[in-house]
Amino acid sequence: MKLIIQIPCLNEAETLEIALNDLPKHIDGIDTIEYLIINDGSVDNTVEVARNWGVHYVVSFRKNKGLAKGFMAGIDACLRNGADIIVNTDADNQYCGADIEKLVRPILDKKADIVVGERPIDDTAHFSPLKKKLQHLGSYVVRKASKTDIPDAPSGFRAYSRDAALHINVMNNYTYTLETIVQAGRNNMAITSVPIRTNPELRKSRLFHSMFSYVKKSILTIMRAYMMYRPLTFFSVVGMIPFLCGVAVSVRFLVYFFAGTGNGHIQSLVLASTLMLLGFMTFIVGLQADVIASNRKILEDIQYRVRKMQYDEERNDNEQQ
């Protein structure tokens, strides 16, 4: 059983060694633990620090591509190098390395395929009161969208079984954390969470520059993921709003009409027809999107089978060498 711990990095030379030193060297049930960093266009000596420390694999981008792209590149490299379990953590040592054993235990016990670390958000000193509330609100929305019970959706401290990693697809360029939970929940994958500890802040977050930016990007990510995996429900709800408004306006017109004063309110009939037609067309878009989503599921199944064949073949070749 091989565990590969991956760390996305962007100019992390000052904190990377601290994070690496905190990672476990042995976990019961794991035969081999290896380490991988994703160098996301760093301009400092992040790679040199990693190699001097003894990191086994380095995936490098010449230009910064963002957290989501880096995460997927790391998953790809881990699978190619024979990982049975993949753990993702941060280079700023936000998470306690010893808790990686908690993350992988449900996978080792065959109880889950994805495990998300639940941070003590309310007890985290460097989180502002506003950020704490937004973290809870965002996690609530993701739980509703994904039909899971993950209490800390934005947490990047998580573990994936090999099979779960083969299924992952991240479409947005912002972050993988929210979309992958919605994807896992909608595809009925076994996902759970475990409480973990956090370390004192070593640097400010680089994922967003302001709270407004964080909220805006998170909302767009959740909406896009929900549209992809539950398009008929999404467009039906959206279309219901103008349709019901149109019904209300038409009822108003009929009241005036039967009262004998409908001639002065013909514009209400035009508005009602427009709103109801808009709602109906939105529902039709939802039907089309639902068909596309069904085709995407077939493509994802094909992609999973191709990935599995390719990565298993590469792992066998590496083992023979």
Side-chain angles (χ1 to χ4, degrees), residues 19-267:
L20 289 169
N21 288 333
D22 195 44
L23 299 179
K25 307 300 186 294
H26 171 76
I27 295 176
D28 290 339
I30 301 292
D31 301 312
T32 304
I33 300 179
E34 295 180 344
Y35 311 93
L36 176 148
I37 71 160
I38 303 101
N39 171 36
D40 192 12
S42 298
V43 296
D44 63 1
N45 61 333
T46 294
V47 174
E48 182 181 350
V49 170
R51 293 194 185 280
N52 290 339
W53 187 86
V55 166
H56 298 82
Y57 313 104
V58 176
V59 178
S60 287
F61 295 149
R62 294 182 179 179
K63 183 180 180 181
N64 177 254
K65 294 188 177 182
L67 183 59
K69 296 292 185 183
F71 170 79
M72 286 305 299
I75 291 292
D76 178 75
C78 290
L79 290 171
R80 290 183 184 279
N81 287 284
D84 296 294
I85 301 176
I86 302 169
V87 167
N88 188 88
T89 188
D90 284 358
D92 61 356
N93 200 40
Q94 175 186 172
Y95 308 109
C96 182
D99 288 340
I100 288 178
E101 183 170 5
K102 293 183 181 179
L103 285 181
V104 303
R105 188 55 55 190
I107 297 177
L108 290 173
D109 293 341
K110 308 297 183 183
K111 295 180 179 179
D113 286 315
I114 302 175
V115 184
V116 180
E118 177 192 353
R119 296 168 294 179
I121 294 175
D122 292 327
D123 298 327
T124 303
H126 60 270
F127 281 6
S128 67
L130 176 59
K131 184 173 182 179
K132 292 176 181 179
K133 292 183 182 298
L134 290 175
Q135 293 274 5
H136 287 305
L137 177 61
S139 295
Y140 171 79
V141 173
V142 171
R143 285 197 297 274
K144 292 300 181 181
S146 63
K147 291 189 176 181
T148 64
D149 58 355
I150 302 302
D152 186 10
S155 172
F157 193 45
R158 49 184 67 186
Y160 296 86
S161 69
R162 183 176 181 84
D163 192 69
L166 286 167
H167 279 95
I168 291 177
N169 283 298
V170 178
M171 305 304 296
N172 76 90
N173 294 322
Y174 172 52
T175 180
Y176 62 91
T177 56
L178 307 179
E179 182 178 343
T180 50
I181 291 179
V182 175
Q183 182 185 59
R186 290 301 172 180
N187 289 336
N188 295 317
M189 299 177 69
I191 180 172
T192 189
S193 66
V194 295
I196 52 100
R197 297 164 291 173
T198 57
N199 296 315
E201 185 180 36
L202 296 180
R203 61 160 176 76
K204 296 295 183 181
S205 174
R206 295 172 181 166
L207 187 58
F208 57 91
H209 302 292
S210 67
M211 196 60 65
F212 174 76
S213 173
Y214 170 74
V215 172
K216 180 184 70 173
K217 290 182 178 180
S218 296
I219 291 175
L220 291 175
T221 300
I222 295 170
M223 286 183 60
R224 184 177 182 184
Y226 196 79
M227 287 171 61
M228 288 178 61
Y229 294 98
R230 297 284 290 180
L232 184 57
T233 301
F234 178 85
F235 285 103
S236 295
V237 171
V238 172
M240 191 66 67
I241 297 173
F243 186 84
L244 291 178
C245 290
V247 171
V249 174
S250 65
V251 169
R252 176 179 178 273
F253 170 79
L254 290 174
V255 170
Y256 283 111
F257 178 79
F258 287 113
T261 58
N263 291 336
H265 299 278
I266 193 65
Q267 64 271 26

